[in-house]
Amino acid sequence: MSKAQLTGWNREQMAQLCAGDIADQSIVNLGIGIPELVARYVPKGREFIYHSGNGLLGMGPAPAPGEKDPELINAGKKPVTANPGASFFHHGDSFAMIRGGHIDVCVLGAMQVSQRGDLANWSTGAPDAIPAVGGAMDLTAGVKTIFVLTQHTTKNGEAKLVEQCSYPLTGPKVVTRIYSNLAIINITASGFQLQQLAPGITFEEVAERTDAPLLPAKPDQDNE
Amino acid sequence: MSKAQLTGWNREQMAQLCAGDIADQSIVNLGIGIPELVARYVPKGREFIYHSGNGLLGMGPAPAPGEKDPELINAGKKPVTANPGASFFHHGDSFAMIRGGHIDVCVLGAMQVSQRGDLANWSTGAPDAIPAVGGAMDLTAGVKTIFVLTQHTTKNGEAKLVEQCSYPLTGPKVVTRIYSNLAIINITASGFQLQQLAPGITFEEVAERTDAPLLPAKPDQDNE
Amino acid sequence: MMNKQVSSTELAVADICDGATVMIGGFGEAGSPTELIHALIDQGARDLTIINNNTGNGEIGLAALIGNHQVAKMICPYPRSSHSKVFPKLYRAGEIELELVPQGTLAERIRAGGAGIAAFYTATTVGTVLAKGKEVRTIKGRDYVLEYALKADVALIKCEQADRSGNLIYNKTARNFNPLMCTAATTTIVQARKVVAIGALDPEQVITPNIFVDQIVEVQEPLIDAELIARGRCYP
Amino acid sequence: MMNKQVSSTELAVADICDGATVMIGGFGEAGSPTELIHALIDQGARDLTIINNNTGNGEIGLAALIGNHQVAKMICPYPRSSHSKVFPKLYRAGEIELELVPQGTLAERIRAGGAGIAAFYTATTVGTVLAKGKEVRTIKGRDYVLEYALKADVALIKCEQADRSGNLIYNKTARNFNPLMCTAATTTIVQARKVVAIGALDPEQVITPNIFVDQIVEVQEPLIDAELIARGRCYP
């Protein structure tokens, strides 16, 4: 399991690649943490409308220093702003948007993703862990397209892309595409399929660090 | 079945008796038609808050001539006003109030009431009738106390208080008390029980016009 | 943000297909999108399933749509009223189908459709003919009927103000079914008495967030149904 | 209309019983009724079941209530956070029970409790350990889990403005669970930053109608949780 750590893309580049695959005017929910970076890389000419599970559509960036409002926060409990055209609503209406299929894209982190698109990102299942799920299962059950932003392997070099998740699932068969530091990988009916390699990374290096078969990119899709 | 029609109370008196049994600050939903009269007879020192199923709490009386707003109407589609402290909401929230048990009292008309409190007030079941239920079944299922305001018999002298309803039910075991032109009658575990006779009306006259056993009033309740 | 305003009711309803399920907001004439309904009459789509609290009055609006034989089925709590003549005639002639749904159950089924709730248990209709053939389950000692979510291809909505991105506010009891229907339709088409700039509505006061709205057309002086009916007007 | 204002948080929470189920509004510190929670600590009711999105931060508010051993069980989607120390300790010691519920399912269960919906089918948790032991049903080709309504004896709520009859409006994302919880509790106790006269709120803008509110107490300058935590403050 422990192969040499490869660099590939950094987090910002992964976020930028992910942002590039989101259509103009999409309603987007960004998971807490690294997925939030996606908002910094909206391609020119496009606009995303951000949904925050705690009751805000049209979420804007962090406020200017000194303009924090403790009652205007995002799902990660960080201060945000409201863009023109925003609306506030309660948790019932907010998760009705999620559950009802009204959010176009959700970007989440991952502990593991299986070759059939199962996502595990909420619990290691360790007996002493405090279980905490938040809105992750609502998002995976309700949002049309789930993108995953993740390092390709754990800090210890263990694979996160696996045949079958060993951690408890967040949702079965929900992930569409993974943006890792090494590659962009699609979930297809046949399993993991390479979409694009990070610069300087080889197919074999990615395959070695993936605990399930990896299909090469379709000829017209490999932008290496 | 066809006994002489007796007068007893008129509609206004029935409505007034009913209003007298509703506690101060009750949340009240009045059925379309005769039940609406109840609002004219709120006892001095009491206040009822009116809920209208089409999305208004704190409904006020009909507007002054020339001040009708076609978008401020009640469940009977008649122009109304909004009292200070009113609120507007959508049909989902409005029937959540009803279904969730937040309305204290509902006053409805009746075609038939059975001795166990079944109410039939929406359909004769006639094959050529256009069935129309509106919010009646939501009200009977959700409101804490259902009062019925009705003539004791039909225009043809047929009993409306019966052992078992022959018309399709609005709700089973929902009616608490009936205000007819002849008497106030409670639904008890033993069936119909007289609460109060209208002036000049005898127990026998009421019993004759009731197609189910009628229990006499408890000694301390007969205010005849 | 995208400008969802279109220039005419005609354009707004152009893509409604034969056989579509169409939710139409309004309770009585309050919140009824009469101009959009008339545009749908002009457009001519047929075999529609219409979801509305009533079946229209006189020979305008929904009643005219039904009278024009464009409606195969009504899903509706109260298909008769003092001024409703068109539906009863067609219903008695067997030319239109009716699914009778209690008003609160209809509202909740539409909400469920929009909120991704597949089905729910309600006490409404327990012990009545309207529960016939439906699953009944006892939960904490009380009986409940299973009811399923209701969705639509299109919702026709009337509101008071819309910003160009599709945030909506309503007027008094004209709110009624409109906000629910916005959430449960694939395409939501709105007629607004006034269309305002994005940012002109207070985010605290938005009743329908723009995520639920697809097309907006401004109708500044909407028809008043009661006046048309009083004058015996027909559409078209 | 009845004046529901009481003069102190102490009076407002006086009747909360041992063993009560208490919904507490707020998401993080936005909309968190910290003064009412502190009054409940002073009041001392024990064996409480608390429903909240989190388990509090630092040693104030909900964390302090838990730390004071008044809470037997949490119903909660996210019982840990960067500043949450109290709950993890008691949970690992087996001194507090946890029912983990996804955030959206929690919101919908509370709404169902208030709306008279006994149970509903949602796709959330299908195929996960959180669906273990729950009924799964296939509806129109998709699997859904049956979830039951959630009610409470008491709700502790924070809002921006209340009129004396109990109509409420909120501030931005401080709305969160508060309006839902108002509907699902037998007794709803509200702390409002400002209490205004009946009639002072626009009926179009009321978020929680007064039908759902029992007691209101004005707390003009509520504590700011983050500041207390930054200063290492404890309650009491």
Side-chain angles (χ1 to χ4, degrees), chain C residues 157-163 165-170 178-179 182 188 190-192 201 205-210 212-213 215-216:
Chain C
I157 298 300
K158 184 188 182 189
C159 77
E160 184 65 12
Q161 284 190 55
D163 75 18
S165 75
N167 289 309
L168 311 183
I169 59 174
Y170 300 88
N178 281 300
C182 286
T188 295
V190 177
Q191 70 169 76
L201 299 180
Q205 294 175 26
V206 168
I207 301 299
T208 293
N210 54 25
F212 298 119
V213 172
Q215 294 191 66
I216 307 156

Side-chain angles (χ1 to χ4, degrees), chain C residues 163-224:
Chain C
D163 75 18
R164 289 193 175 80
S165 75
N167 289 309
L168 311 183
I169 59 174
Y170 300 88
N171 182 37
K172 307 187 184 76
T173 57
R175 197 180 297 190
N176 56 64
F177 285 96
N178 281 300
L180 299 171
M181 289 177 171
C182 286
T183 72
T186 307
T187 302
T188 295
I189 304 169
V190 177
Q191 70 169 76
R193 220 179 48 75
K194 196 173 171 192
V195 176
V196 299
I198 295 170
L201 299 180
D202 180 348
E204 300 278 13
Q205 294 175 26
V206 168
I207 301 299
T208 293
N210 54 25
I211 194 173
F212 298 119
V213 172
D214 298 285
Q215 294 191 66
I216 307 156
V217 58
E218 191 173 60
V219 179
Q220 288 182 7
E221 305 268 356
L223 297 167
I224 296 177

Side-chain angles (χ1 to χ4, degrees), chain A residues 2 4 11 17 21 39 53 59 70 74 116 121 125 133 140 158 171 184 204 209 217:
Chain A
S2 67
R11 288 171 174 192
L17 288 161
D21 287 343
M59 181 170 66
N74 67 10
R116 59 170 213 162
N121 79 343
V133 66
T140 53
E158 284 153 12
I184 302 173
E204 289 66 30
R209 285 158 182 81

Side-chain angles (χ1 to χ4, degrees), chain C residues 137-158:
Chain C
R137 179 185 295 225
T138 308
I139 298 172
K140 292 192 178 173
R142 189 170 181 195
D143 285 351
Y144 296 89
V145 170
L146 182 65
E147 294 282 357
Y148 291 90
L150 202 52
K151 298 178 90 163
D153 300 304
V154 178
L156 303 183
I157 298 300
K158 184 188 182 189

Side-chain angles (χ1 to χ4, degrees), chain C residues 24-33 52-54 174-178 181:
Chain C
I24 301 182
F27 179 89
E29 75 176 281
S32 170
N52 183 267
N53 188 71
N54 300 93
R175 197 180 297 190
N176 56 64
F177 285 96
N178 281 300
M181 289 177 171

Side-chain angles (χ1 to χ4, degrees), chain D:
Chain D
M1 228 177 270
M2 189 158 44
N3 180 356
K4 295 175 183 168
Q5 189 172 7
V6 296
S7 57
S8 71
T9 55
E10 188 188 343
L11 276 171
V13 304
D15 294 335
I16 300 178
C17 298
D18 286 1
T21 296
V22 182
M23 292 175 173
I24 301 182
F27 180 89
E29 75 175 282
S32 170
T34 304
E35 280 76 6
L36 288 176
I37 300 171
H38 287 175
L40 181 55
I41 292 174
D42 298 344
Q43 191 258 24
R46 300 177 67 85
D47 279 326
L48 303 172
T49 295
I50 301 289
I51 300 165
N52 184 266
N53 188 71
N54 299 94
T55 56
N57 286 320
E59 294 173 76
I60 55 151
L62 176 53
L65 184 74
I66 294 169
N68 202 33
H69 300 277
Q70 292 177 252
V71 182
K73 179 179 177 182
M74 287 295 313
I75 300 177
C76 172
Y78 209 83
R80 66 169 187 243
S81 74
S82 44
H83 299 286
S84 127
K85 297 169 284 190
V86 177
F87 176 85
K89 213 175 80 181
L90 290 177
Y91 180 75
R92 290 207 174 90
E95 289 174 24
I96 191 165
E97 197 186 333
L98 171 66
E99 179 181 342
L100 189 72
V101 181
Q103 201 175 143
T105 296
L106 181 65
E108 192 67 13
R109 288 180 63 193
I110 297 169
R111 181 192 175 274
I117 299 299
F120 57 88
Y121 289 97
T122 171
T124 302
T125 78
V126 167
T128 78
V129 293
L130 294 191
K132 228 166 81 179
K134 294 185 176 174
E135 177 184 323
V136 173
R137 179 186 294 226
T138 308
I139 298 171
K140 292 193 179 171
R142 189 171 182 196
D143 285 350
Y144 296 88
V145 172
L146 182 65
E147 295 282 357
Y148 291 90
L150 201 52
K151 297 177 90 163
D153 300 304
V154 178
L156 303 183
I157 299 300
K158 184 187 181 190
C159 77
E160 184 65 12
Q161 283 190 55
D163 76 17
R164 290 192 174 78
S165 76
N167 289 309
L168 311 183
I169 60 175
Y170 301 88
N171 182 37
K172 305 187 185 75
T173 57
R175 197 181 296 191
N176 56 64
F177 285 95
N178 281 300
L180 299 171
M181 289 178 170
C182 287
T183 71
T186 307
T187 302
T188 294
I189 304 169
V190 177
Q191 69 170 76
R193 222 179 48 74
K194 196 174 171 192
V195 177
V196 299
I198 295 170
L201 298 180
D202 180 348
E204 300 278 12
Q205 294 175 26
V206 169
I207 301 300
T208 293
N210 54 24
I211 194 172
F212 297 120
V213 171
D214 298 286
Q215 294 191 65
I216 307 155
V217 58
E218 190 173 61
V219 179
Q220 288 181 6
E221 303 270 357
L223 297 167
I224 297 177
D225 290 9
E227 289 179 4
L228 299 181
I229 293 163
R231 282 189 267 131
R233 284 281 305 280
C234 307
Y235 194 87

